[in-house]
Structures are given as C-alpha cells and as structure tokens.
C-alpha cells in the first residue's frame, strides 16, 4: 500500500466540491468561528492554484478578475481577524476547510510539476482549463455559503439563548433577524465574497463543466487497491481511542460504498457479470441507510475544530475518486450501459462486494465505540438530539415528563458534556441496526456468489463445452472468497 496521492487535478477539484457540499449540510452555529478563521487560507490556496493553471495571457487577464477580486475581499477579512480582540478572536480553524485547502495546495503542486506538458492552445485542453477554473470557484462559492449559514445559525442561537434567560438583545434589520452584532458585520462581508463567486458561476457552471476532461480507466485494479487500503486504515484507526469526527468519516464513507455498490451491481447485471437478484440491491441499500443514520448521530458528537487522521482522510478521498472514475460521466452518474463497457468492471464489482462483506465486521467494531462510557459531545447538539429522539419515540420517555437533558449554562458556554441517556440509547440502537443491516448485506452478497457459481457449474455439467456466442458479453465472472458467513 502507498500513501502517495494518485488523484488527478480534476479528481482533486471534484473532491473539494464534494467536501464543500458535505460541509454545507453539516454546519451549525458552533462552527461559525472556526469556519471564519479558515476562510482566508482556503481563498489563498485557490488563488495560487488558479495562477498556476497554464495558458495565462501576459498582463491583466479578464479571466483572473473574479478570483483577484475575491482574494482582495478576503484579505481585508484576514486583516480584521488578526487585529480583532472580539468575536471570533483567536482559536482553532475548521478541519473540513483545512482539508479542502490542502487539496487545493496539492493540486497546485501537481499543475506546476506537469502543467508544461498541457497543450493549452488546443480546444479540448482550453475547455478543460475553463472547467478547472469553474470547479475552483464553485468550491469557494459553496464554502462561502456554508460560512454564511453558520453565521446566521450563530446569531439565532444567541438570540434564543438571550430570550430563554430573559435578557434583551438588539436585533439587526438586514439579511436576517438574527444578524446581531458582531455577526451582522461578518455576514455583510462574507455575503460580498459569496456574491463575487456566484456572479462568476452564473450562466457558466453547467456549460463549463461539460468541457471537463475525463480520466480514462487506465488501472483496472485501482478500486480494489483503494478499498483494501481503506480497510487497513479504518482498522488501524479504530484500534486506537478515536475521535468522533473520524468515526463520522468512517460511517459516512461506508454509506458511500454502499451507494456506489448498488450502481456497480446494476451495471454488472446489465453486462452479464452478475446474475440478477431481487435480494442483493435491497440488502445493500438498507445497509447504506443504516450507515448514513449512524453517521448523522456520530456527527452530533464531533466538536468544532476536531481533527481528522490524515491517513484515514487520504484513504477515504481515494475511495471516492476510484468509485467516481467508474460510476460517473463528467458531472452526472453514468448509465449502466456506459459503466458496463468500461474496462475493469469485473474487478471493480468483486472489490465492492468484498467491501460489502467486510462491512459486517466493521459495523461490530464501530458499535463497540458507542459503548464507551466516556463519550462526550457539544452541549447544544446533544440537547437537540435528546429532545428530538424522545419526541419521535426513538428513546424511552422519562416518567417525570419533560426533562432538561443538558444544562442551559453548558449550552451557553459551548461545553462538551456527557451523552444524555436518550442520545446514548439511540446511538446504541442505531449501531445495532447497522450491525444487522450490514450482516444481512454481507450474507446476501456471499450467498449470491455461491448460487451463481453453483448455477454455472450445473450448466457446464449438462452441456458440452462451447466457446462464447458472438453476441455474449466477453467478461470474466467475478469470484469472491468463500469465507465464513457472517
């Protein structure tokens, strides 16, 4: 196994886009300070990558004005952050944005190393470079919007805290009724950055990405190697006292593996690599839903600023890139017929089904982490989860009626607190449900292969050997290890 990043620049930029979308779905008010502190370094990395792209004309290039304007706006934000003693002040940065920043830095280094080989004057290369600029700006746009959402949520939390304690608070009259000082000023400045990025993307995004170059499948074993490395890194990480943010990454990636596996199984049945089954895809889908539900619960335990283990994050990024190379056609999911015609499909299907089989054991290991007695998480997120689970009937209702599960003082101070009983109960229940769903998917995947091999053997015994029909798909059958059932 190697830790070398084998992704192309396009794959790195797509991953920045993916991480920004995930960030936008996950942010809340407690993330606002860390996001704001991380924003200038991300813009600086994006500007550097933009400048490293080949084909720039001498002097002032009209294509560079948007990123130059965005960088100038962000420079004033960085200056204010450095010289400001009030909120958010000095403190940790956001690991999600830091990961995107490092990816942009790695992409810039790759462009500088290999950019001279790009014939940028040719139409295809020119369109691909325009798609790269669009990807960069779209990642910045999504991230700026995520910062704005977190700022709005931060203001709302402060307003709600003040109202619950009977304090009066001055409300602003622009952008949001919760844009209280000093949040309102930061919303103004981040909105300017967001609008700059949006103006560049308007009437451009879909057209520009249509010209994006696709990386050919030149290594049929890439997905198998990526999944094998992911299995190693997850077990190494889980063998230690792991932060919830890393367990969140593990569970979320397992959900992604399940979703991509359904796509590959569909394509494999179209190509004749696998026998069609009414049980396989539903079992994998249920496992994916269980992993995603478990991920959302571990996400409540991850405090703002929590770091990701670099080998684990790198392995997850390579899994995403390896799947996308097979399952996607530029910006959209490829049809089963297109995927069926790509080289390496039998190897990919075998690798992804082995990952589904291994998921049952991984679910048990992750469930052990939910039993740790010292689990803690952000007070506000755990308070919301506890009340929501009780109201939804997912956790046992207290006999004494309505209970304040987390102290308002802990919420106001943004402390890390032990898991309230309803959160601990539903986390264990979600872990058990994931074990059951992953075990079922593992068994069905293994059984499906046994039945397919048995049917093939029976057919061969009844009929004399014959060469393949001209119209038959020319694929080798997928052979899985016949390990013990889980």
């Amino acid at each position: 196994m190697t830790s070398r990043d084998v992704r192309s620049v396009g794959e790195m930029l797509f991953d920045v886009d993916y991480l920004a979308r995930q960030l936008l779905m996950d942010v809340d008010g407690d993330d606002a300070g860390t996001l704001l502190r991380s924003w200038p370094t991300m813009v600086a990395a994006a500007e550097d990558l933009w400048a490293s792209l080949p084909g720039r004309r001498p002097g002032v290039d009209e294509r560079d004005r948007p990123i130059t304007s965005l960088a100038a706006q962000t420079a004033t934000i960085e200056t204010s952050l450095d010289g400001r003693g009030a909120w958010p002040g000095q403190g940790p940065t956001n690991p999600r944005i830091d990961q995107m920043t490092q990816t942009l830095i790695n992409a810039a280094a790759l462009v500088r190393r290999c950019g001279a080989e790009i014939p940028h004057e040719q139409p295809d290369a020119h369109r691909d470079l325009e798609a790269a600029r669009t990807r960069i700006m779209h990642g910045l746009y999504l991230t700026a919007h995520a910062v704005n959402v977190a700022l709005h949520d931060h203001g709302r939390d402060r307003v709600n805290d003040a109202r619950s304690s009977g304090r009066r608070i001055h409300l602003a009259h622009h952008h949001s009724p919760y844009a209280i000082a000093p949040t309102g000023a930061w919303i103004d400045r981040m909105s300017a950055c967001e609008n700059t990025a949006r103006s560049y993307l308007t009437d451009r995004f879909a057209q520009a990405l249509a010209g994006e170059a696709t990386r050919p499948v030149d290594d049929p074993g890439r997905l198998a190697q990526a999944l094998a490395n992911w299995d190693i890194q997850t077990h190494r990480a889980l063998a230690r006292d792991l932060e919830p943010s890393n367990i969140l990454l593990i569970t979320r990636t397992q959900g992604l593996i399940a979703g991509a596996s359904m796509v590959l199984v569909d394509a494999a049945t179209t190509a004749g690599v696998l026998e069609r089954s009414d049980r396989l895809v539903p079992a994998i889908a249920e496992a994916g839903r269980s992993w995603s539900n478990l991920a959302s619960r571990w996400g409540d335990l991850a405090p703002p600023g929590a770091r990701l283990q670099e080998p684990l994050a790198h392995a997850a990024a390579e899994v995403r890139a390896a799947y996308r190379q097979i399952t996607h056609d530029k910006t959209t999911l490829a049809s089963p017929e297109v995927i069926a015609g790509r080289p390496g499909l039998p190897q990919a299907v075998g690798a992804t089904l082995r990952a589904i089989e291994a998921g049952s054991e991984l679910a048990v290991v992750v469930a052990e982490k939910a039993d740790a007695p010292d689990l803690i998480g952000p007070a506000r997120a755990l308070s919301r989860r506890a009340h929501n689970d009780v109201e939804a009937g997912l956790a046992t209702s207290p006999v004494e009626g309505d209970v304040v599960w987390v102290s308002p003082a802990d919420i106001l101070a943004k402390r890390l607190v032990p898991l309230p009983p309803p959160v601990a109960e539903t986390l264990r229940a979600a872990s058990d449900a994931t074990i059951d769903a992953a075990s079922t998917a593992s068994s069905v995947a293994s059984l499906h292969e046994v039945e397919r091999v048995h049917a093939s053997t029976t057919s061969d015994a009844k009929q004399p050997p014959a060469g393949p029909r001209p119209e038959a798909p020319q694929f080798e059958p997928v052979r899985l290890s016949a390990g013990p059932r889980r």
Side-chain angles (χ1 to χ4, degrees):
M1 295 301 163
T2 176
S3 60
R4 185 173 64 90
D5 197 338
V6 298
R7 294 177 295 169
S8 66
V9 172
E11 289 172 340
M12 292 181 188
L13 292 179
F14 179 85
D15 207 48
V16 169
D17 196 273
Y18 170 86
L19 293 171
R21 292 174 188 271
Q22 293 290 332
L23 176 68
L24 183 57
M25 290 190 294
D26 293 342
V27 292
D28 59 23
D30 290 345
D31 296 311
T34 63
L35 292 171
L36 196 56
R37 296 186 200 103
S38 298
W39 170 249
T41 56
M42 181 181 180
V43 174
E47 184 185 26
D48 182 59
L49 172 57
W50 189 295
S52 69
L53 295 176
R56 296 183 69 197
R57 294 186 288 268
V60 178
D61 193 334
E62 187 66 27
R63 294 174 302 184
D64 297 338
R65 291 189 185 276
I67 192 68
T68 302
S69 175
L70 183 59
Q73 292 167 337
T74 303
T76 63
I77 292 177
E78 184 176 23
T79 301
S80 298
L81 287 170
D82 291 340
R84 181 183 283 259
W87 188 90
Q90 300 298 314
T93 55
N94 187 274
R96 303 276 196 93
I97 295 187
D98 293 347
Q99 185 180 358
M100 289 187 278
T101 300
Q102 187 59 51
T103 302
L104 293 170
I105 292 172
N106 294 345
L110 182 58
V111 169
R112 288 193 171 91
R113 189 164 65 247
C114 306
E117 304 171 8
I118 299 176
H120 57 82
E121 68 281 353
Q122 295 184 5
D124 288 347
H126 177 78
R127 286 192 292 268
D128 191 38
L129 287 167
E130 185 60 26
R133 296 185 187 93
T134 303
R135 282 272 187 213
I136 294 170
M137 192 62 76
H138 193 249
L140 293 172
Y141 169 67
L142 291 174
T143 306
H145 187 58
V147 178
N148 256 331
V149 170
L151 288 169
H152 280 283
D153 285 353
H154 173 75
R156 181 192 61 195
D157 292 341
R158 288 190 59 193
V159 169
N160 291 339
D161 291 341
R163 286 173 176 171
S164 63
S165 62
R167 293 183 289 110
R168 298 185 63 181
I169 192 165
H170 176 69
L171 299 180
H173 298 287
H174 61 285
H175 290 298
S176 166
Y178 303 115
I180 60 176
T183 310
W186 289 121
I187 290 177
D188 284 338
R189 301 174 75 175
M190 285 304 305
S191 294
C193 294
E194 183 180 341
N195 290 336
T196 298
R198 182 178 59 193
S199 64
Y200 177 85
L201 297 169
T202 301
D203 299 327
R204 179 195 302 264
F205 182 73
Q207 180 180 0
L209 293 189
E212 190 174 34
T214 56
R215 180 179 182 176
V217 183
D218 52 2
D219 181 7
R222 182 186 183 186
L223 180 60
Q225 182 172 352
L227 289 172
N229 189 40
W230 170 249
D231 184 70
I232 291 172
Q233 296 302 334
T234 53
H235 284 84
R236 284 179 177 173
L238 289 167
R240 297 187 286 269
D241 185 14
L242 200 60
E243 293 290 335
S245 57
N246 292 283
I247 301 179
L248 169 62
L249 176 61
I250 291 173
T251 51
R252 182 168 277 168
T253 303
Q254 287 299 123
L256 181 143
I257 290 172
S261 296
M262 291 191 292
V263 175
L264 289 181
V265 166
D266 189 23
T269 56
T270 300
V273 176
L274 286 177
E275 293 290 335
R276 193 169 298 276
S277 169
D278 295 331
R279 299 177 59 198
L280 183 59
V281 170
I284 295 174
E286 182 59 30
R289 284 191 291 269
S290 297
W291 280 114
S292 297
N293 177 51
L294 187 59
S296 71
R297 295 183 176 279
W298 277 105
D300 291 334
L301 276 63
R307 299 287 107 182
L308 293 173
Q309 289 190 4
E310 186 174 346
L312 188 67
H314 175 81
E318 174 59 14
V319 166
R320 293 192 295 266
Y323 269 121
R324 183 176 181 270
Q325 187 180 24
I326 301 174
T327 61
H328 279 67
D329 186 7
K330 295 186 178 178
T331 60
T332 60
L333 193 67
S335 67
E337 292 76 17
V338 171
I339 299 174
R342 288 178 173 168
L345 179 63
Q347 296 95 316
V349 172
T352 200
L353 289 180
R354 285 192 295 272
I356 294 297
E357 289 188 71
S360 60
E361 184 268 341
L362 187 62
V364 174
V365 180
V366 172
E368 292 177 355
K369 299 296 181 179
D371 292 328
D374 56 348
L375 285 177
I376 57 176
R380 191 184 303 275
L382 295 185
S383 176
R384 288 172 176 166
R385 176 68 76 173
H387 286 288
N388 290 341
D389 284 346
V390 170
E391 290 180 4
L394 300 175
T396 304
S397 299
V399 295
E400 59 270 32
D402 194 16
V403 174
V404 177
W405 298 107
V406 179
S407 165
D410 290 335
I411 295 176
L412 185 62
K414 298 184 178 181
R415 296 190 182 102
L416 299 179
V417 299
L419 270 59
V423 177
E425 178 185 348
T426 53
L427 179 61
R428 293 189 184 98
S431 299
D432 291 341
T434 303
I435 291 175
D436 292 340
S439 297
T440 300
S442 175
S443 299
V444 172
S446 178
L447 180 61
H448 182 270
E449 174 60 11
V450 170
E451 291 175 346
R452 190 201 63 78
V453 173
H454 176 71
S456 176
T457 304
T458 303
S459 176
D460 290 344
K462 292 180 179 179
Q463 298 180 5
R469 296 189 305 272
E471 68 275 10
Q474 304 297 305
F475 288 104
E476 289 293 327
V478 175
R479 303 192 182 276
L480 305 180
S481 58
R485 301 279 181 82
R486 294 183 178 87

